[in-house]
Amino acid sequence: MSDSDSLDPTQYRANRLKSLELLRESGINPYSEAPRNIISIRHFISKYAYLSAGEKLEAIEVSLAGRVITKRASSSKLYFYELLDGGARVQVMADARDSAMDTVAFSTYHSGVKRGDIIAICGYPGKSKRGELSIFPRSLEVKAPCLHMLPRHLAVVDGTRTQSSQGTTTNGTWTPGDARNPAAYVLTDQETRYRQRYLDLMINPEVQNVFRTRTRIIKYIKRFLDDLEFLEVETPNMNLTAGGASARPFTTYYNELDTNVHMRVSPELYLKMLVVGGFNRVYEIGKVFRNEGMDQTHCPEFTMCEFYMAYADYNDLMDLTEQLLSGMVKELTGSHKIRYHANGSDNEPIEMDFTPPFRKMDILSELERVANINIPRDLSSEAANKYLLDVCEKFDVKCPPPHTTARLLDKLVGHFIEVSCINPTFIINHPEIMSPLAKSHRSAPGLTERFNLFVNKIELCDAYTELNDPVEQSRRFTEQLKDRTSGDDEAMVLDESYITALEYGLPPTAGFGMGIDRLTMLLTDSQNVKEAILFPPMRPQ
């Protein structure tokens, strides 16, 4: 350990600032421009991995850049670095004999290079006598000094020195669908990891793979829908009414329009207006905002994929959902089965199987069977409300006021049914009272053609055959207003512009919504949704 590493962090930063000022005074810019013809470390590794131990290609000139993650001096004439970039790392063997500097200048310069610095190297490839692929610099220049101390032992997940304790696979690299263990990271403090995500990505490079997987998930969804001739669109983030979902909105003020507006809780109504306009297949992947609580699976700002398909119903969407998710899991993981620490990283991971077909269960009949109850069929009645409230009290199912029938049912379903949904499970045929935008079931009065997909007890998808009768839709909105009057501020509001659009004629349509963050959680073995969001919302410090 160097003397500077034993300093107080504040003193370390002060010393680095002082050294940078001295460089500036001597005419050296510590933040000079990037060199040309840089290649990635991954490309360097793939191109020169074939070299034999001790073999060097001194006639070849290569330029690399990255962050110094380890540094040690064998002597004043030989320094070893590990360079990290894009999740890959390579050894740097800086020998004074390869440098244009004299021995004193060489030693002085390299003694000033610190862990965390961004450096650029121009040199030749080769392997050390021990067979480790390296770059031998003829020139090495710091391009962006790191002013803060980094933890001593950095996690590396590429190459031969992978930390096996991080839940990596046998080939040394964590892959989607496999179990991982954030508790074994070098930087483990969640506050620091989430507030300073750049530090998390830098010091725990496995985290980079989590977010690369998130990007692959989104790309797969887009390719899947594009191949089915869906059109990707964008709809407003700020709306005069917060429609499309039962949720409490964020509200702000639009100066130019001199009115309050709401951040969207869903793009649903706008997307269906586009179907009315003639875009028979549309989708959007974007942020939605719900001014609600935060926990392991909920975040007020999250990413949704919604798509709408004319001349289809919820049965078609169940088939599409199976194709989409089973195909995605297979492509990303090589299998239909994934491993997930559902019971915490201290316990063995469980296995979840995405092999189609997925299990289906009827929501009311399953609830009655599991809870051994007999729910009144007229769910809009006071008798049904009282019956469900009594059931909640009997089984100690907590349901904060207001005790609307929809909220009571939702809590009971969560308590009795959702807990059994480990492998992908469709919960189908929700009551109308729970589904204000879903079309009435064609053969079961009082129910709708709707499904939720649950995986590992968590709702992943919500979809239904869309209600396209403007008169019935207006009546449903009016019923929702009664719930709002009773204190349910998550109930939907009446959207007159949407009703007007329906009056022009919405073809028979099916609509689908899926949370990207929760899907990323499952495929990256993340038990907290903040693990799957690059910059999650945090309380002010």
Side-chain angles (χ1 to χ4, degrees), residues 118 189 315 322 473 521 523 525:
I118 301 292
D189 179 68
N315 293 302
E322 289 177 345
Q473 183 64 81
M521 287 178 65
L523 290 173
D525 191 30

Side-chain angles (χ1 to χ4, degrees), residues 1 15 19 64 90 157 169 171 206 238-239 247-248 323 346 348 356 358 362 426-427 468 516 535-536:
M1 182 171 68
N15 286 356
S19 66
L64 297 180
V90 71
V157 298
T169 55
N171 65 5
E206 181 177 284
M238 293 189 294
N239 306 312
R248 183 185 302 120
Q323 294 170 30
D346 294 337
E348 285 296 308
F358 300 163
D362 186 279
F426 292 118
I427 298 178
N468 60 346
I516 299 297
F535 297 101

Side-chain angles (χ1 to χ4, degrees), residues 442-466:
R442 65 196 72 182
S443 60
L447 303 183
T448 61
E449 296 188 347
R450 177 185 178 189
F451 71 80
N452 295 139
L453 179 70
F454 278 80
V455 185
N456 188 42
K457 311 176 190 178
I458 298 171
E459 182 185 332
L460 188 61
C461 305
D462 185 18
Y464 36 84
T465 308
E466 300 294 337

Side-chain angles (χ1 to χ4, degrees), residues 21 40 53 74 107 122 210 239 261 316 344 358 419-420 470:
E21 188 58 35
S40 71
S74 176
S107 178
C122 183
V210 170
N239 306 312
V261 291
D316 299 310
F358 300 163
V419 292
S420 69

Side-chain angles (χ1 to χ4, degrees), residues 350-374:
I350 65 170
E351 186 175 82
M352 291 180 284
D353 191 349
F354 282 79
T355 303
F358 300 163
R359 182 171 64 142
K360 294 184 178 75
M361 58 174 65
D362 186 279
I363 188 169
L364 288 187
S365 60
E366 184 70 12
L367 178 58
E368 290 179 325
R369 184 189 70 81
V370 175
N372 193 25
I373 59 178
N374 188 14

Side-chain angles (χ1 to χ4, degrees), residues 242 244-249 265 290-293 402 407 410-411 436 480 483-484 487-493:
S246 298
R248 183 185 302 120
V265 296
R290 300 181 183 180
N291 198 359
E292 300 163 350
R407 285 170 59 85
D410 183 64
K411 296 299 182 183
Q480 288 280 298
D483 287 346
R484 291 186 71 84
D488 186 359
D489 57 1
E490 294 184 0
M492 289 191 193
V493 297

Side-chain angles (χ1 to χ4, degrees), residues 220-230 283 305 307:
Y220 184 94
I221 294 170
K222 289 188 174 186
R223 186 171 74 247
F224 180 89
L225 295 174
D226 291 344
D227 287 347
L228 292 173
E229 299 184 350
F230 280 80
Y283 76 93
C305 168
F307 68 78

Side-chain angles (χ1 to χ4, degrees), residues 51 54-62 97-98 123-126 136 138:
L51 295 175
E55 184 179 359
K56 299 178 181 179
L57 304 180
E58 297 187 38
I60 293 178
E61 184 175 278
V62 177
R97 291 174 296 181
D98 291 320
Y124 58 88
F136 297 81
R138 289 196 170 93

